[in-house]
Amino acid sequence: MTSGFLKSEEVPGRRHRFRVMGGGVGRGHAVYFFGMFFREILMKERQEILVGLLGRVFRYLEEAGRPGTPVVDYQAPESLRQKMDLTLGAEGLPEGQLLQLCEDYLQYSVRTGHRFFMNQLFSGFNFPAFLGEIVTAATNGSMYTYETAPVATLVEMEVVRRMGELAGFQNGNGLIVTGGSNANLVALLCARHHLFPDIKAKGIRMRSPMVIFVSDQAHYSFFKAANVVGIGSDNVVLVKSDRAGCMIPEELDGEIRQAVQNGKTPFFVGATAGTTVMGSFDPLPAIAGICETHGLWFHVDASLGGGFLLSPRHRDLLKGCNLADSFTWDAHKLMGIPLMCSVLLTQSRDILYHACSSEGGDYLFHDYDNADFDLGTKSLQCARRVDALKLWLAWKCIGDRGYAERIDRLVELAGYATHKIASHPQLELMRPVQSIIACFRYRPEGATDLNGLNLALRERLATEGKVLINYTHLNGEMVLRLVVINPDLTERDLDTLFETIVGTGEELALAAARADEKS
Ligand SMILES: *Cc1c(COP(=O)(O)O)cnc(C)c1O
């Protein structure tokens, strides 16, 4: 049976499936009522699928909290390709089969809500934000105009206003962007536009290369931003940090003077509040003073550390951030919002508009009463996903006070972990801990190849799905990087973690010793 309104296809061994084609009203009452009838069946089927999926998702989320659930059912790529049919084909599947595909996806994905998902600067599950994601997907708004996304626009404006207030920006502005990396990029663009406005239209025609300054602990996104904004990654000067991972202000001042002497044009300093590897905080007041002296744009990358502004107890880590010209804050890190949720705040009300707006787009932006509410005019994106709703709902539900408690608790737990590491005979704390990240390694007595051992240990934990914990190198020494960011973590979990690490390490050391004996 085929009509303009509805098409049904016979699938052997299965129920009919229907596609509502739209239009067709007026082709006769019979077809119309038939259409309504099948539409109702389709809606009923979809409702069943949706309820079934939500049930499965709920179980998946609930399992992550249970002891013994692995962080991941790890499969190498070839094996994963065999377990799931990933190929796309010409024929469509009935919608009912989507459930199994989603089930497979859940089965083999990393459970980032798991308390032993410690690999990255996010972990855990946020229920109100999750509801926000569902509503965001259902409404599928786009943030360019108030007309297209009225509620989302006001919600984003409120979130940005509140974050700006916490950062101490008096009459600032801001925008949700696609990540901390992009926030840093847009900040660099704002700085370039502020100091060299002609470049926007004319391109770069400077004889003296522009240079920017970040610490040697800064995030790698500054190299990318320097590439995109036309500065060149070679013109990113890495300022020395101290043993705790904080930028040394005297070094910064020296590097700036040196650059000027070498005929370069300094214009931007990116301080970090909460470094990616160690969770360290650069001394913002001193850096602000140096930027003031040399007339440079002062940016604070608080992708990780922004959340500390919510804690009266730890807010001082960011002391001086109110002096910044721009500020990056990832709500998907300490605030536990699902990816992505990143905000760029600016001290100036209109720099985002001047730096990011362009000609064209009159098909989209019309001069009318609400033009100030068309956030798209200050964005590098055209269509822009609604990332504000999930944050707004979570913040509404948790409140400033709830967030303060949560963040204080994380710092407390990181302190507990630090103490455990420092007092354990087979663990070694590699750097002082300033906030929520502890760099350490497994060091059994008499072991020689500590890098190799820790690498093997970390791989074993990951492929067995016990713990996902990342690593990096500090001065050539491999360190495990414990990120205490999951709000459900407890002291008991941390005890289990260290027992698991040491236990697995002992197994590996024993196996290595046996292999040595044999050879
Ligand atoms: C995580 C992080 C970034 C990058 O943020 P994304 O949202 O992952 O792009 C930038 N800077 C710092 C200090 C970070 O910790």
Side-chain angles (χ1 to χ4, degrees):
M1 181 200 78
T2 320
S3 81
F5 188 78
L6 188 120
K7 195 171 82 178
S8 98
E9 291 161 40
E10 195 84 42
V11 180
R14 277 193 215 113
R15 271 195 282 174
H16 293 227
R17 66 208 168 106
F18 308 102
R19 291 206 188 114
V20 179
M21 305 294 281
V25 180
R27 288 201 184 187
H29 287 293
V31 171
Y32 177 71
F33 285 114
F34 233 9
M36 292 308 284
F37 172 68
F38 285 123
R39 187 175 179 284
E40 236 165 68
I41 294 181
L42 174 75
M43 286 301 135
K44 190 99 191 64
E45 280 183 358
R46 285 192 170 168
Q47 190 178 8
E48 277 170 24
I49 294 170
L50 184 58
V51 169
L53 180 68
L54 283 178
R56 180 65 192 95
V57 166
F58 193 80
R59 211 168 348 127
Y60 164 85
L61 293 168
E62 187 267 325
E63 275 164 10
R66 264 193 255 149
T69 303
V71 182
V72 57
D73 177 351
Y74 177 80
Q75 306 289 333
E78 268 324 304
S79 150
L80 195 50
R81 281 209 186 92
Q82 275 166 15
K83 301 214 181 246
M84 283 180 79
D85 181 9
L86 293 161
T87 54
L88 294 170
E91 297 306 322
L93 287 180
E95 290 180 348
Q97 289 193 16
L98 296 174
L99 263 181
Q100 185 57 46
L101 294 177
C102 293
E103 181 111 11
D104 292 345
Y105 187 94
L106 291 172
Q107 167 77 20
Y108 299 112
S109 291
V110 172
R111 293 173 188 273
T112 62
H114 198 295
R115 300 196 300 288
F116 288 152
F117 174 72
M118 300 172 144
N119 219 44
Q120 255 74 41
L121 296 179
F122 69 94
S123 177
F125 175 70
N126 186 314
F127 185 65
F130 177 69
L131 298 185
E133 281 294 62
I134 294 176
V135 175
T136 298
T139 48
N140 193 35
S142 178
M143 296 300 305
Y144 21 60
T145 55
Y146 181 80
E147 182 179 79
T148 321
V151 196
T153 298
L154 295 189
V155 162
E156 175 162 334
M157 288 171 81
E158 172 60 10
V159 163
V160 165
R161 185 196 67 75
R162 189 74 189 92
M163 290 169 110
E165 194 172 74
L166 285 166
F169 287 11
Q170 293 300 324
N171 188 30
N173 211 330
L175 194 73
I176 295 189
V177 294
T178 56
S181 301
N182 272 51
N184 288 341
L185 166 70
V186 176
L188 191 56
L189 183 68
C190 287
R192 196 198 71 184
H193 186 75
H194 177 69
L195 290 142
F196 314 104
D198 286 350
I199 294 179
K200 183 176 179 182
K202 307 288 177 209
I204 297 171
R205 295 181 300 183
M206 296 170 70
R207 281 213 203 91
S208 153
M210 294 180 275
V211 282
I212 72 170
F213 304 82
V214 296
S215 93
D216 55 15
Q217 294 298 311
H219 191 256
Y220 69 91
S221 53
F222 286 105
F223 289 110
K224 299 196 175 200
N227 167 18
V228 178
V229 175
I231 284 129
S233 51
D234 283 355
N235 292 314
V236 179
V237 178
L238 296 184
V239 180
K240 283 204 189 75
S241 60
D242 63 20
R243 208 182 134 69
C246 312
M247 187 194 279
I248 303 169
E250 296 74 27
E251 293 282 340
L252 172 65
D253 193 60
E255 292 284 6
I256 294 168
R257 288 174 197 281
Q258 187 67 47
V260 173
Q261 253 180 22
N262 294 347
K264 310 238 171 145
T265 305
F267 78 104
F268 174 99
V269 175
T272 308
T275 60
T276 312
V277 171
M278 287 190 241
S280 311
F281 287 76
D282 288 344
L284 304 183
I287 296 171
I290 294 167
C291 290
E292 171 100 58
T293 306
H294 297 278
L296 311 182
W297 185 276
F298 176 33
H299 174 67
V300 173
D301 177 4
S303 293
L304 172 60
F308 282 103
L309 289 174
L310 288 154
S311 157
R313 191 179 299 170
H314 299 292
R315 183 176 291 164
D316 269 1
L317 286 167
L318 287 110
K319 199 169 153 208
C321 73
N322 58 313
L323 303 169
D325 295 297
S326 51
F327 187 92
T328 295
W329 182 343
D330 273 355
H332 61 243
K333 290 182 175 166
L334 267 174
M335 293 183 82
I337 306 304
L339 298 165
M340 303 294 292
C341 196
S342 304
V343 178
L344 175 68
L345 301 169
T346 58
Q347 191 76 250
S348 149
R349 264 222 81 70
D350 50 11
I351 187 69
L352 274 168
Y353 173 77
H354 289 306
C356 299
S357 63
S358 70
E359 287 174 38
D362 20 307
Y363 75 93
L364 186 60
F365 302 112
H366 311 294
D367 212 9
Y368 71 114
D369 293 347
N370 282 328
D372 277 354
F373 293 86
D374 290 348
L375 302 185
T377 56
K378 20 178 210 182
S379 171
L380 290 180
Q381 294 169 254
C382 174
R384 188 162 61 94
R385 193 182 183 279
V386 175
D387 284 332
L389 180 62
K390 53 190 172 184
L391 172 57
W392 183 75
L393 283 179
W395 207 336
K396 273 263 187 200
C397 193
I398 297 169
D400 289 2
R401 195 162 331 159
Y403 265 124
E405 280 166 18
R406 176 189 288 225
I407 283 157
D408 293 352
R409 174 83 179 122
L410 290 175
V411 176
E412 187 185 3
L413 281 169
Y416 178 81
T418 306
H419 177 72
K420 286 279 291 192
I421 295 165
S423 57
H424 197 292
Q426 289 171 298
L427 298 175
E428 183 182 11
L429 188 68
M430 301 298 280
R431 288 291 188 280
V433 176
Q434 257 193 59
S435 57
I436 53 150
I437 305 177
C439 292
F440 71 106
R441 65 181 172 182
Y442 173 59
R443 194 189 58 177
E445 216 174 304
T448 45
D449 179 15
L450 286 177
N451 282 8
L453 178 59
N454 278 272
L455 194 62
L457 169 56
R458 192 251 164 201
E459 288 301 305
R460 171 71 70 93
L461 293 171
T463 48
E464 286 183 349
K466 283 185 182 153
V467 180
L468 270 187
I469 183 166
N470 226 329
Y471 72 97
T472 188
H473 290 89
L474 294 174
N475 284 338
E477 289 174 320
M478 199 204 122
V479 300
L480 299 169
R481 188 170 144 262
L482 171 61
V483 181
V484 182
I485 204 160
N486 187 316
D488 299 327
L489 272 176
T490 62
E491 280 85 355
R492 182 78 203 92
D493 290 327
L494 292 168
D495 293 346
T496 307
L497 171 72
F498 295 125
E499 281 159 24
T500 308
I501 288 174
V502 172
T504 309
E506 278 166 358
E507 279 168 31
L508 282 171
L510 212 66
R514 280 208 203 99
D516 269 357
E517 264 172 38
K518 277 200 187 132
S519 64

